Amino acid sequence: MKILVINAGSSSLKYQLFDMDNESIIAKGLCERIGIDGHLKHTPMVDGKPVFDEDMSFPTHSEAIAAVLDKLVSAEYGVVSSMEEIGAVGHRVLHGGMKFTASQLVTEEVKEAIRACFPLGPLHNPANLMGIEACEKAMPGVPQIAVFDTAFHQTMPASSYMYAIPYKYYEENQVRRYGFHGTSHRYVSAEAIRVMGLEAEGSKIITCHLGNGSSLAAVKDGKCFDTSMGLTPLEGVPMGTRSGDLDPAVVEFITNLEGCTVSETLTMLNKKSGVLAVSGVSSDFRDLDNAVAEGNERAKLALDMFNYNVKKYIGSYAAAMGGVDGIVFTAGVGENSASVREACLEGLEYMGVKLDKEANNCRGKLQKISAEDSKVQVYVIPTNEELVIARDAKEIVEA
Ligand code: ADP
């Protein structure tokens, strides 16, 4: 069975087509500038097929999806002979609120629930739904599956997910911690349990998804026990452009200072903060490394703050679970930056973490990076959210 995986953003749409017989990617691509003008890069992953990389007209997500499907079956760039070969489409959906604890076959009710979560994921959920509806239109009858970033975290106990604010905001407005990157935390924690030869029951894993956006999760008995992102993906460790945790009073202070709206302050906290703001250099960790090498003190401070906060979360999650068997690093920074991993773990020897510096000198592959005599095992595990989405979609259509 072939499964198409779609990650629709407000002006972009990424896709991968999987052959689930061997879980290989047979084509992938990216539609950009949807609603502005449009550009499609389509890359067939089979021998002899050229890459398509041209401007196109994408007034809405519908035209973008139509162009993708056209390329997937075209004689020149195609990898399938007809659309009938595509058994299902799996969609990444940011926010599933409290309703979804697992991936869902899209029905009118599911779409309504995704719509009901628009206020919780105002940038992503509308785009995700547009992606779903564009596919429904372009490929009628093909099952559409929604895979939620929040679903894995729905197992958190109330003491992890509640905010200490008046209870009615939880009861009436569902204000609480949800957590994100759930598909990634689910995948790498399960991989860790597998490679460490543990039973899920009784296992204690801390997963560090460190990328442009970063979050950590405490995974106890194979289930999420706590996570660092909250009602929105702004909470937690400092990120590329997001502030992460701060005293909420900062919002009023800066809003008054600037004479701007709360929403403008929130945009600043989401898009102009994090390591970008502290360093004054870049949100990209490679640029920060280069700046540090040139002696830039603020770039060093930005990295120090990032590493320190990751370490604080690791320590708090070890305390929360009553210990830790394994720590996993994943995503762009977690998979690639040996220096970030080393700094995040520095000083944790007291809790049984001993890094193997030589093994840590790796990138982008599954690798154990703790020493043989380390009580806590530490791994780099490349995440694969698209594969999880494809697997979920396959499982649901075959059920
Ligand atoms: P997203 O949250 O957009 O999915 P990724 O998980 O792809 O992000 O991570 C992107 C980040 O990974 C970038 O900020 C980049 O700095 C970082 N990154 C990629 N390669 C390296 C590297 N070799 N060293 C340090 N950071 C890296």
Side-chain angles (χ1 to χ4, degrees), residues 289-366:
D289 282 344
N290 294 335
V292 170
E294 289 163 7
N296 186 315
E297 287 295 325
R298 273 177 54 189
K300 181 168 183 312
L301 174 62
L303 278 176
D304 286 348
M305 285 168 65
F306 178 82
N307 299 333
Y308 173 67
N309 276 278
V310 171
K311 186 191 298 185
K312 271 211 302 198
Y313 268 100
I314 290 174
S316 68
Y317 287 164
M321 293 191 291
V324 53
D325 301 313
I327 299 173
V328 181
F329 287 91
T330 194
V333 179
E335 290 167 29
N336 290 297
S337 177
S339 58
V340 164
R341 292 190 298 256
E342 184 176 343
C344 292
L345 299 176
E346 194 192 334
L348 297 185
E349 293 79 8
Y350 78 91
M351 57 181 240
V353 178
K354 193 168 161 196
L355 188 69
D356 177 338
K357 288 195 184 180
E358 207 166 300
N360 185 41
N361 194 13
C362 67
R363 56 201 300 181
K365 60 171 182 155
L366 196 156

Side-chain angles (χ1 to χ4, degrees), residues 181 209-213 283-286 289 331-333 336-337 363:
H181 297 136
H209 177 110
L210 311 180
N212 240 326
S283 63
D284 191 300
F285 281 66
R286 286 162 292 197
D289 282 344
V333 179
N336 290 297
S337 177
R363 56 201 300 181

